[in-house]
Structures are given as C-alpha cells and as structure tokens.
C-alpha cells in the first residue's frame, strides 16, 4: 500500500491541490478551512516528493497506462523535485496567511489551482502537457493579482493576462513546429531528434513566449505593476515560484532539446538579456519610492541571473544546474519573506512608501529583521543560498572558460545591495516619540514570524547546501539534465 | 567537547546577543547580568584555550558546506592574540556602555548587535581558511551597521550607508580573489609560513590576488584611499566608536592583512614577489596623511578618528617591513593601539555626555572638573605619541629597529614625522 502511494506521489502532488480547489467551489464558506486542510496535505506530499527523489532516485509515472508519445508522463528529476518542495512550502505558508485575510473563495480556489499547475510544470515530461499547465498557471495567477479595492491592481492584472496569453500563444506555435519537425512531443524524444532549422525557430518562439511569461528583460513590463500591487501573499508566490516555472522550461529547452549543434548566438543573446535584466532591475529599484515596487524590481534583476546561466548550462550542466537550482530556491524563499514583510508593513501602516518606513526597527522589529535577512540572501552574502549558488556558478563558468559571464554575478550583488540598502535603511531612521504611523490594526505576530522564517530558510539552505546540491544533481547525466 | 572550544567561543557571544534581543527594554538588570556573565565566561574560555595551546594542543573545528567550501575554525598563537584582546575589550566596553547608555533607548538592540559583532570578530580571529575569513568579515559588516546607525538620525543612517558602500565593495574584492584562488587551487587554507600550493601559481596571478585581498581587507583597516568611511562614522555613540576603532572593525582589517601575509603567502615569499614594499609605502603614507588630517580637526571624535586611520597603518607597516623585529612591532601595536584608542574614546564619550564637550577648544579647564577622565586621557595620549615607558613607545621602538634591520631607513623618518 505504501509502495503504491509512493509510486503515485507525483500525481498526488497535483491532485491534492486540485481537489482542494473543487472543495472550495462546492463549499465556499469553508474556504479558509479547505486551504488549511488541503494546503497542509499538499505541503506534506510536496516535501515527500523531494525526499523520495533524494532517497530513492528519480521516478517516472505513466498516467493511465498510456505511454509516450501519446500519453502523459510525470517524471521527478532532482531539480524538479527540489522546486516542487519549494513550491509546497511557499504555497502552504503564504496560503495560510492569505486565507487569514482574504476570505474570498475565488482567491482560494485560484491559489490552489496555481499550486497544481506549478507542480505539473516542474514534473511533466512532454511539451504539450507543459503548455496546458502554463495556460492554467497564467489564468489562475492573474486572479491572484486582482484586488477589489484597487484600480491599479485591476489594470496590472489585465496587462499580466495579456502578457501571459500572448506568451502561451507563442509557446504553442513553437510546440506545433516542433511536433511537425520531429513527430513527438516528449522532451526525451525531442532531444533525440536533434536540431534543424525548424527546431531552432520553434525553440526561438517558445523562448520568446517564456521570456514574456517570466518577465525577463525586455519583456518584463507587466511585472512591477502586478507584483507591486497584488496582495502581499500573492506577490510572495508570484515572485517566488510562478515566474520560476518559465525559466525552468527555458533550462530544459536549451540544455536538453536543443542538442549540441544548437544556436551559439542564441544562448549568448539570452545571457546578454540576463545581464540587462540584472542592470535594469537594480537601476529601477534605486529610483522607485515604494517598498513593494523595490522588491518587484529586485525580482526582475534576480531573474536575470536565472537566464544568464543558459550558456553555462549548455557547457557543463552537471556542475551548473545544482548551482542555479540553489539560486532559484534561495530567491524564492528570500523574496517570499520580503513580500510578506512588506505586507505586514502595509497592513499596519496603511502605506509602504520608503519615507514612511521610519521607525520600523523600533515598532516592528521582527518585520525589520525579516527584511534584513531577505536582503542579505538576495545580495548573496555568505552563508546564504544565494552566495553558495553564485559560488558554484562562478566556478562552473571558470572551468568552462566562459569568463565574461563572471563579472555579472559579482557586480550584480553590489547593485542589488545598493538598491536594497537604500530602501531598507529608511527603516533604521527613528521616528520621534508618539509619531502616528500605526494604522491602528496591529499585525499579528504570526504573520511577521512567517516572514522571518521564510527569509531564514534562504540562509539555512546555504548552510546546508550539500544536501540541495545532491538533490538537484540526481538524474543528471551528460545530455539529459532534467529528465 | 574540549576540542570544540573555538566553536563555543564564537557561540557564547552569538547566543548572548540573540537572547538579549528578546529581553524587553525595561529589564535592564537582567540584560546587564546576562551580558557581563557572557563576557566573563567568554574570557574564561579564551584563557582555557590559551592554556591548551601552551600545552601543545590543537583546536580545529570544520564544517563542510560543499566539497570545496569548508568552514574552518582554527586557534593558533596569532588568533589568540586578537581573541584575548577582543574578549577583554568586550567586557570593558560592556561595562562602559551600560553607564553611557543609561538614559538611552533601544539598549536591548544595541547590546544584541554588540554580541553579534563580537562573535564575528572571534570568527575572524580563528578563521582557518580564506572562505571562513570572508564569511565572518561580511558578517562583521552586517552586524556593525545597526550599531553605526544606532542613534537613528538621518545623518547617522547616511553615514551607515557610506559605511556599507565601502565595506561591501571591499568584501566583493575579497570574494573575487577567493573564488579565483579556489578555482585554481581547490581550497585555500591558512598555514603557518604560507600555503605552499599557492606558490605554484604564475606570478601575475599571485600579485593581482594579493592586491585584491589587501584592498578588500584594507577597507576595514582604513588604508588610504579606502578610509573614507571612518571619520563619517563618528555619528555613532562613543561605545560603538570605541568598538569600531579599537576592538572589532579596524583591527579585523589589519588582522586579516596579517593573516594573508603570514599564513597565506608567507612573509618571505611575499617579499620575493615584491608586494611588501608597495604595501609598506602605502601604510607609511596613510600614517602621515592620517596624522596630518587629525591636526586639522576641531572636534574631538573626528580627531581621534583620523588618528586611528594613521595608527592602524603602523600595524600594516610593521608587517610589511620584512623582518621579525618589525613584525613584532606591528603585531604588538595591534594590541597597544587597541587599548590606548579605546581609552581615548571612552574619555571622549565621558566628556561629551557629562560636560557636553565636543570640540577641542572647549576642553579648557576640564582637567579640574573631571580629573580621572583627563588623567586617563593624558596617559593614553602619551602612549599614542610614544613616550617611554608606555606601550606605544615599545611598539615604535620595535618598528624602528625592524626598519633598520630590513634596511628601510625611510620608515624611521615616517615614525618620527608622525610622532
């Protein structure tokens, strides 16, 4: 029985959140309860997936017995399982805090559907299932951005929707071309057939779609508005894991499907876009005046790192992939902690302008600490996961003699530091006694501590980096990194 | 248990600091007791360590993050020197700060970060390889920022931003050198008389790496032209200035430079590479520049700040002037300057708090009003100048003799000029 359950873990990780969404639709008044119940179950199963891969190796599950190329397969690779684990933690922790505020049943259902879609993206083994999951992800995630009381949020959600659907369309075109060229849709099969001009065009289309959905420069315009104006818990998972779905596919496409002949100019172009994202995001973060916008632009910058690694992944996936997985996990936790902390500040003070952060250290020390730890992890100071991830990637770049990609890792840290220090140092300025910056609604301690714990996780995964690197390396062999 | 001593020493101040964060502002007696007890306990542990080292025991604690990234704490003679100094001065500064901040706010935060700071310093003193040194170096940056901005004024936070700009950039330089050396060598340990595999690298690589490391660590050691943050950080309360200047930050920078030269490159090899002479010249220039700027200061604390810029470079000068006697002078000065400067800052703090004196020209007549403070100030100042038989004289004597032995007579000119 246990063995059977173990075998079904991948599909369970998808079905539990979906069942939760169904339950919310059937009985909307108990939405918060359903979130707690299904959220906890999903959390346990997600962690189980990661532990299962760590202890027993990769697992493949053919759904309903229909084998590829027609059937749907879910395959847990090391990196995919790691990301599923991260998703579970974030969706559960932020979901509990979201449900405590929102109480809207549509929001909760969308939350759970987003969760399911994310798991499918990280575990699916063929291009079309991934497409379906991406569509679901877009629609569900857009619903998370909408806030009934904010015109800004509504406009941002609409532009997110347009960007998401356009991206999916481009992706679908690419998938169609790939199918026409190679007659199969599974990633394993596509990798075998190698690359011809059709495949190159297809991958270019799919990449464009992914860049749009993951807000990579220069197609990032929708992100600051959406993440900056969404409810805090939603921003946490949007920046934390939703944008990661796209880049995960990018890594798969460019390291597995494209093959050795590849497009050398293509991956250099991608890496250049990553560097631009890093620079642009940090520069804009230095100019805006709201905390949530600073954090949102920081996401654009950090996504730059995740795209910058494509040449490294093609050159030496075995060393580079664990490094970038660690970087992604670090960003997910740190960003979620940062956004939750910003949410606490907004809830307690009613506004999040930088000037209104004065007195933060005195009045909300836990939140201030959460922001500080989150910044440390994002900048990549030791011993955070960001530091270890960058360390691995720099070593990998050095070994592969791709030296010109090393400066962005080092300088990017300084730029991020400049932007984050500028914003957070306002929190250290004291307010005169009796200053009225409390809105009266004191934020619960548990929300502040949740933010602190998430930010702390980013540091802890750095301290225990060996385990995560081992996990992400499972299933890696030259030429087949992510299947 | 006993061999984990380095770890316990770091953890003592770390846990003390973390616990204090949770003590509410009003429970000052509990906080003071915890603080003093931890400081005394730590000093006791350091004495045990000293004793053990004297008997020939070795203390190494290692933790592997990744196969080529190992956190290593190792106690040897040089680390114990710095460790004893910082543990003793933690105790002293705690006593002083309790009185100084009696009417202040945010004392729990202050003492909490103080404890973290001392932990980071302990980590630096016992770092067994370059990565560990980098980790605790950055930790020190992060732990001292809240102390620099403790007063919470816009001015203080602006000074804090300048501090971070300098120190994080310095950290980045050290990171580049560390990653580079790791990529070439696999691991970079501190070994007495130099890490041998280092010498197999091509000379240009070694020289550039040396430059990066010295510049990176030199930011904290206030080596010209990286000293800009120090005078601006005078907005901090006196105990913080004392800590920064005498115990933790600048000493950490100087200590790191000492480690790089003695236990990474090896002082003879560094001399062969030809990197020591430029360093000693830079140190010499900093000494004179710092003293000159100090003369122009009308306010007391900035004057002391510029004096520190000058004084810490004595240490660098001693190390860089090749030869055992100069080295003794340099390292001894690490201790002496610490003691003297902390005294001066405590006195300055007393003058400011009790008599409202911030400028030198206001000091007239305070010998009569605050005799104990001024007596201490006089003694310390004479020590800094180098009047025998005080400590400053001893270090300068050794430095001068070492310079003669190494045939670097110009050093004596510098010493005389700055006196």
């Amino acid at each position: 029985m246990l063995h059977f359950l173990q075998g079904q873990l991948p599909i369970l990780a998808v079905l539990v959140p979906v069942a939760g969404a169904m339950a919310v639709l059937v009985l909307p008044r108990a939405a918060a309860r359903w979130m707690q119940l299904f959220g906890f179950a999903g959390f346990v199963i997600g962690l189980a997936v990661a532990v299962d891969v760590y202890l027993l190796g990769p697992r493949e599950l053919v759904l309903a017995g229909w084998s590829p190329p027609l059937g749907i397969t879910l395959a847990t690779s090391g990196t995919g399982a790691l990301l599923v684990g991260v998703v579970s933690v974030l969706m559960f922790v932020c979901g509990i805090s979201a449900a405590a505020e929102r109480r809207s049943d549509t929001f909760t259902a969308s939350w759970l559907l987003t969760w399911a879609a994310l798991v499918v993206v990280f575990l699916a083994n063929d291009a079309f299932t991934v497409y379906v999951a991406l569509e679901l992800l877009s629609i569900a995630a857009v619903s998370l951005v909408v806030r009934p009381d904010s015109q800004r949020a509504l406009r941002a959600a609409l532009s997110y929707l347009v960007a998401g659907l356009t991206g999916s369309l481009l992706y679908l075109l690419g998938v169609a071309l790939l199918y026409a060229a190679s007659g199969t849709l599974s990633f394993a099969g596509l990798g075998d057939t190698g690359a011809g001009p059709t495949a190159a065009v297809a991958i270019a289309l799919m990449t464009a779609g992914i860049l749009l959905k993951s807000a990579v420069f220069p197609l990032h315009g929708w992100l600051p508005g959406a993440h900056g104006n969404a409810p805090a818990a939603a921003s946490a998972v949007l920046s934390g894991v939703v944008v990661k779905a796209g880049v995960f596919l990018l890594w798969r496409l460019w390291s597995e499907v494209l093959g050795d002949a590849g497009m050398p100019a293509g991956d250099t172009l991608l890496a250049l876009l990553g560097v631009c994202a890093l620079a642009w995001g940090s520069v804009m973060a230095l100019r805006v005046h709201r905390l949530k916008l600073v954090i949102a632009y920081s996401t654009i910058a950090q996504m730059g790192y995740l795209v910058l690694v494509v040449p490294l992944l093609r050159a030496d996936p075995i060393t580079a992939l664990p490094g970038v997985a660690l970087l992604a996990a670090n960003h997910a936790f740190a960003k979620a902690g940062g956004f939750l902390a910003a949410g606490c500040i907004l809830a307690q003070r009613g506004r999040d302008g930088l000037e209104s952060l004065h007195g933060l250290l005195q009045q909300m020390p836990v939140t201030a600490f959460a922001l500080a730890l989150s910044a440390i992890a994002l900048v990549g100071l030791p011993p955070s996961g960001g530091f270890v991830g960058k360390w691995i990637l720099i070593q990998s770049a050095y070994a592969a003699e791709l030296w010109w990609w090393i400066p962005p890792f080092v300088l990017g840290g300084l730029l991020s530091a400049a932007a984050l220090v500028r914003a957070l140092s306002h929190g250290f300025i004291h307010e005169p006694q009796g200053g009225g910056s409390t809105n009266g609604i004191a934020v619960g301690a548990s929300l502040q501590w949740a933010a602190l714990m998430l930010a702390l996780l980013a540091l802890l995964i750095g301290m225990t980096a060996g385990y995560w690197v081992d996990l992400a390396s499972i299933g890696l062999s030259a030429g087949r990194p992510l299947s | 248990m006993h061999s984990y001593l380095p770890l316990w020493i770091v953890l003592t101040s770390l846990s003390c600091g973390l616990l204090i964060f949770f003590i509410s502002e009003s429970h000052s007696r509990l906080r003071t007791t915890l603080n003093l007890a931890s400081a005394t306990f730590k000093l006791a542990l350091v004495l045990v360590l000293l004793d053990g080292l004297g008997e020939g025991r070795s203390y190494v604690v290692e933790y592997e993050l990744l196969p080529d990234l190992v956190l290593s704490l190792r106690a040897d003679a040089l680390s114990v020197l710095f460790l004893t100094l910082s543990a003793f001065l933690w105790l002293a500064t705690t006593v002083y700060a309790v009185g100084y901040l009696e009417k202040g706010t945010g004392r729990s935060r202050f003492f909490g970060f103080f404890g973290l700071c001392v932990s980071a310093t302990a980590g630096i003193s016992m770092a067994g390889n370059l990565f560990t040194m980098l980790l605790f170096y950055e930790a020190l940056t992060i732990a001292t920022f809240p102390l620099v901005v403790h007063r919470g004024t816009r001015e203080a936070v602006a000074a804090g931003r300048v501090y971070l700009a300098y120190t994080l950039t310095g950290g980045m330089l050290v990171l580049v050198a560390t990653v580079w050396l790791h990529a070439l060598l696999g691991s970079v340990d501190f070994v007495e008389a130099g890490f041998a595999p280092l010498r197999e690298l091509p000379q240009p690589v070694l020289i550039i790496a040396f430059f990066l490391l010295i510049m990176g660590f030199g930011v904290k050691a206030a080596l010209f032209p990286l000293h800009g943050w120090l005078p601006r950080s005078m907005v901090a309360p006196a105990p913080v200035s004392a800590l920064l200047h005498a115990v933790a930050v600048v000493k950490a920078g100087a200590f790191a430079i000492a480690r790089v030269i003695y236990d990474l490159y090896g002082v003879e090899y560094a001399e062969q590479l030809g990197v020591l002479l430029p360093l000693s010249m830079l140190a010499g220039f900093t000494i004179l520049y710092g003293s000159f700027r100090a003369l122009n200061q009308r306010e007391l604390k900035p004057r002391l700040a510029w004096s520190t810029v000058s004084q810490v470079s004595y240490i660098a000068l001693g190390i860089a002037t090749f030869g055992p006697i100069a080295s003794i002078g340099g390292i001894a000065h690490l201790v002496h300057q610490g003691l003297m400067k902390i005294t001066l800052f405590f006195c300055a703090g007393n003058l400011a708090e009790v008599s409202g004196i911030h400028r030198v020209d206001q000091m007239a007549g305070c010998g009569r009003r605050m005799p104990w403070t001024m007596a201490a100030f006089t003694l310390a100042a004479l020590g800094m100048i180098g009047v025998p038989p005080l400590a400053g004289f001893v270090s300068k004597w050794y430095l001068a003799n070492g310079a003669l032995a190494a045939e670097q007579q110009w050093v004596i000119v510098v010493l005389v000029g700055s006196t």
Side-chain angles (χ1 to χ4, degrees):
Chain A
M1 175 64 178
L2 199 61
H3 199 257
F4 173 74
L5 273 180
Q6 248 185 330
Q8 305 299 314
L9 269 178
I11 191 63
L12 279 178
V14 180
L15 284 180
V16 165
V18 171
M22 298 290 133
V24 169
L25 292 175
V26 163
L27 209 59
R29 267 178 305 164
R33 275 274 172 266
W34 293 133
M35 174 69 98
Q36 286 166 358
L37 181 65
F38 285 93
F40 184 69
F43 167 70
V44 170
I45 293 179
L47 286 184
V49 167
V51 171
D52 175 59
V53 173
Y54 186 75
L55 293 175
L56 297 174
R59 187 182 288 285
E60 209 171 272
L61 179 63
V62 177
L63 291 181
W66 288 42
S67 45
L70 278 180
I72 301 176
T73 326
L74 293 180
T76 53
S77 66
T79 308
L82 174 65
L83 289 172
V84 167
V86 172
V87 166
S88 317
V89 172
L90 278 188
M91 295 304 280
F92 176 54
V93 173
C94 299
I96 298 294
S97 33
E101 302 173 43
R102 307 299 308 167
R103 299 186 199 294
S104 147
D105 50 325
T106 328
F107 185 88
T108 312
S110 307
W111 187 274
L112 291 163
L113 287 176
T114 310
W115 188 335
L118 279 169
V119 175
V120 176
V121 171
F122 290 130
L123 295 184
N125 220 14
D126 69 273
F128 189 72
T129 313
V130 165
Y131 166 71
V132 173
L134 281 180
E135 278 289 286
L136 180 59
L137 185 60
S138 275
I139 298 173
V142 167
S143 316
L144 296 179
V145 176
V146 178
R147 272 205 336 243
D149 53 332
S150 168
Q151 271 290 334
R152 260 194 312 201
L154 191 58
R155 273 201 300 270
L158 282 175
S159 68
Y160 183 21
L161 185 63
V162 169
L165 291 180
T166 315
S168 299
L169 195 61
L170 288 170
Y171 182 84
L172 187 59
L173 273 170
V175 169
L177 274 178
L178 268 182
Y179 186 64
S182 21
T184 176
L185 281 174
S186 74
F187 283 118
L190 287 171
D192 285 331
T193 48
T198 328
V201 173
I203 300 234
L205 279 172
M206 291 163 86
T207 304
I210 289 174
L211 292 183
L212 191 49
K213 290 170 92 65
S214 286
V216 179
F217 185 93
L219 303 168
H220 61 280
W222 59 266
L223 190 142
H227 292 199
N229 291 309
S235 305
V237 298
L238 287 172
S239 266
V241 278
V242 172
V243 289
K244 303 290 187 313
V247 286
F248 179 77
L249 285 172
L250 197 68
W251 302 336
R252 287 197 89 156
L253 286 178
W254 284 78
S255 57
E256 274 182 66
V257 176
L258 198 50
D260 286 323
M263 288 192 277
D267 55 341
T268 310
L269 180 64
L270 264 185
L272 276 174
L273 287 180
V275 174
C276 291
L278 196 49
W280 178 257
S282 302
V283 165
M284 288 305 289
L286 277 168
R287 295 183 54 192
V288 289
H289 296 287
R290 278 178 51 213
L291 182 61
K292 284 184 79 175
L293 276 180
V294 172
I295 303 179
Y297 274 108
S298 159
T299 300
I300 295 181
Q302 295 275 328
M303 294 303 289
Y305 285 127
L306 300 182
V307 172
L308 176 55
V309 300
V310 168
L312 301 177
L313 279 176
R314 288 183 59 75
D316 184 10
I318 298 186
T319 33
L321 188 60
V324 71
L326 200 54
L327 209 57
N330 173 74
H331 178 242
F333 288 127
K335 203 34 79 66
F339 265 121
L340 278 190
C344 293
I345 295 172
L346 251 181
Q348 180 141 330
R349 290 163 169 233
R351 61 201 184 288
D352 69 335
L354 290 183
E355 289 286 321
S356 60
L357 288 178
H358 295 183
L360 189 68
L361 189 60
Q362 300 161 294
Q363 291 160 14
M364 301 172 71
V366 180
T367 310
F369 258 86
L371 279 175
L373 286 180
S374 158
I376 290 172
L378 289 174
V379 168
L381 291 172
S384 66
F387 175 82
V388 183
K390 285 193 201 181
W391 178 277
I392 297 175
L393 289 169
I394 295 176
Q395 301 276 0
S396 167
Y398 192 87
E401 300 190 358
L402 294 170
W403 294 294
W404 43 91
W405 302 127
I406 297 182
F409 282 111
V410 179
L411 294 172
L414 274 186
L415 274 178
S416 305
L420 292 170
V421 165
R422 167 190 169 255
L424 297 184
S425 56
H426 283 274
F428 285 89
I429 299 179
H430 288 186
E431 241 188 356
Q433 293 291 349
S437 62
T438 313
N439 217 15
I441 316 164
V443 166
S446 50
L447 193 59
Q448 297 192 48
W449 279 99
L452 185 61
M453 286 301 131
L454 285 177
L456 205 54
L457 271 176
L459 288 159
L460 283 175
I461 60 172
M463 289 294 296
T464 52
Y467 297 106
W468 313 116
V469 169
D470 287 340
L471 177 57
S473 305
I474 290 176
L476 274 185
S477 54
R480 265 317 135 80
L482 283 149
S483 57
Chain B
M1 172 77 184
H2 194 249
S3 57
Y4 281 96
L5 207 45
L7 186 61
W8 298 131
I9 291 180
V10 174
L11 286 180
T12 314
S13 30
L14 179 66
S15 43
C16 170
L18 287 175
L19 278 174
I20 288 185
F21 282 130
F22 291 100
I23 298 180
S24 96
E25 194 58 23
S26 46
H27 294 132
S28 54
R29 192 162 298 184
L30 176 63
R31 179 178 53 236
T32 310
T33 315
L34 179 62
N35 225 344
L36 288 175
S38 305
T40 319
F41 182 58
K42 179 170 184 174
L43 199 53
L45 286 181
V46 173
L47 291 174
V48 172
L49 185 70
L50 200 52
D51 183 55
L53 279 178
E55 287 172 18
R57 268 192 249 219
S58 88
Y59 294 96
V60 182
V61 178
E62 288 190 346
Y63 174 70
E64 188 180 286
L65 258 75
L66 285 181
D68 70 333
L69 211 57
V70 176
L71 251 176
S72 153
L73 290 176
R74 193 173 53 90
D76 64 1
L78 193 59
S79 31
V80 171
L81 181 88
F82 192 30
L83 203 51
T84 319
L85 177 71
S86 73
F88 174 67
L89 291 181
W90 181 31
L91 188 54
T93 317
T94 305
V95 172
Y96 180 81
V98 169
Y100 186 85
L101 292 176
E102 217 170 355
K103 300 180 202 70
T105 55
R107 278 166 294 164
S108 283
R109 272 197 329 270
F110 181 88
F111 286 109
F113 285 119
F114 213 79
L116 296 184
C117 206
V118 176
S119 276
T121 315
I124 290 178
S125 65
M126 290 189 285
N129 59 24
L130 198 53
F131 166 64
T132 313
M133 177 72 89
L134 172 65
L135 188 144
F136 282 109
Y137 196 76
E138 300 278 48
L140 186 62
T141 299
I142 301 170
T144 42
F145 174 77
L147 290 175
V148 172
V149 303
H150 182 79
R151 286 210 197 278
T153 59
R154 278 184 193 271
E155 197 191 29
V157 173
R161 279 197 277 249
V162 170
Y163 176 65
L164 277 185
Y166 273 89
T167 46
L168 286 178
T169 310
M172 182 205 80
L173 292 175
V174 176
L175 172 67
V176 171
T178 309
V179 170
W180 194 12
L181 289 176
H182 263 258
L184 291 170
L185 295 173
S187 92
V188 188
D189 302 322
F190 292 138
V191 176
E192 197 164 325
F195 183 57
L198 198 69
R199 303 191 195 158
E200 285 151 39
L201 296 176
Q203 283 218 351
V205 170
L206 286 175
I207 294 181
I208 298 179
F210 185 84
F211 177 74
L212 286 172
L213 286 172
I214 297 300
M215 286 292 118
F217 289 129
V219 169
K220 287 225 172 93
L223 214 52
F224 184 90
L226 309 157
H227 60 285
W229 59 273
L230 192 53
R232 287 197 64 165
S233 64
M234 284 305 96
V235 294
V240 178
S241 304
L243 182 72
L244 289 181
H245 294 232
V247 177
V249 177
V250 288
K251 286 304 177 316
F255 181 81
I257 293 179
R259 270 281 195 229
V260 166
I261 294 179
Y262 288 126
D263 293 334
L264 192 61
Y265 280 75
V267 70
E268 282 111 1
Y269 188 69
E271 173 70 8
Q272 279 171 27
L273 267 184
V275 289
L276 287 186
L277 186 60
L279 176 60
S280 56
M281 290 173 73
L282 188 60
F285 180 77
T286 312
I287 291 175
L288 292 172
Y289 181 74
S291 300
F292 183 69
R293 289 296 300 263
L295 285 174
N296 287 342
Q297 299 297 321
R298 269 178 293 164
E299 294 207 13
L300 189 52
K301 280 175 73 180
R303 184 176 276 208
L304 292 177
W306 281 106
S307 160
T308 300
V309 171
S310 165
Q311 289 284 322
V312 175
S313 284
Y314 277 110
I315 304 173
L317 183 62
I319 298 166
T321 305
F322 178 63
I325 306 179
S327 308
I328 296 177
I331 300 201
H333 200 66
L334 193 122
V335 178
H336 298 160
Q337 201 266 349
L339 292 169
M340 294 184 291
K341 199 35 82 57
I342 205 174
T343 311
L344 288 173
F345 268 104
F346 283 171
C347 296
N350 279 351
L351 288 172
E353 289 299 299
V354 175
S355 313
I357 292 174
H358 294 276
R359 295 209 319 269
V360 179
D361 51 9
Q362 292 171 316
M363 282 170 73
C366 60
R368 231 161 301 190
R369 278 177 284 152
M370 300 173 65
W372 285 104
T373 304
M374 286 318 291
F377 191 92
T378 311
L379 263 182
L382 288 177
M384 297 288 281
I385 298 170
V387 174
L390 296 168
F393 173 74
V394 175
S395 13
K396 289 196 187 180
W397 182 254
Y398 270 93
L399 280 175
N401 272 324
L404 278 176
E407 295 166 15
Q408 310 263 18
Q409 282 86 350
W410 60 273
V411 172
I412 303 191
V413 176
V414 169
L415 288 173
V416 171
S418 72
T419 298

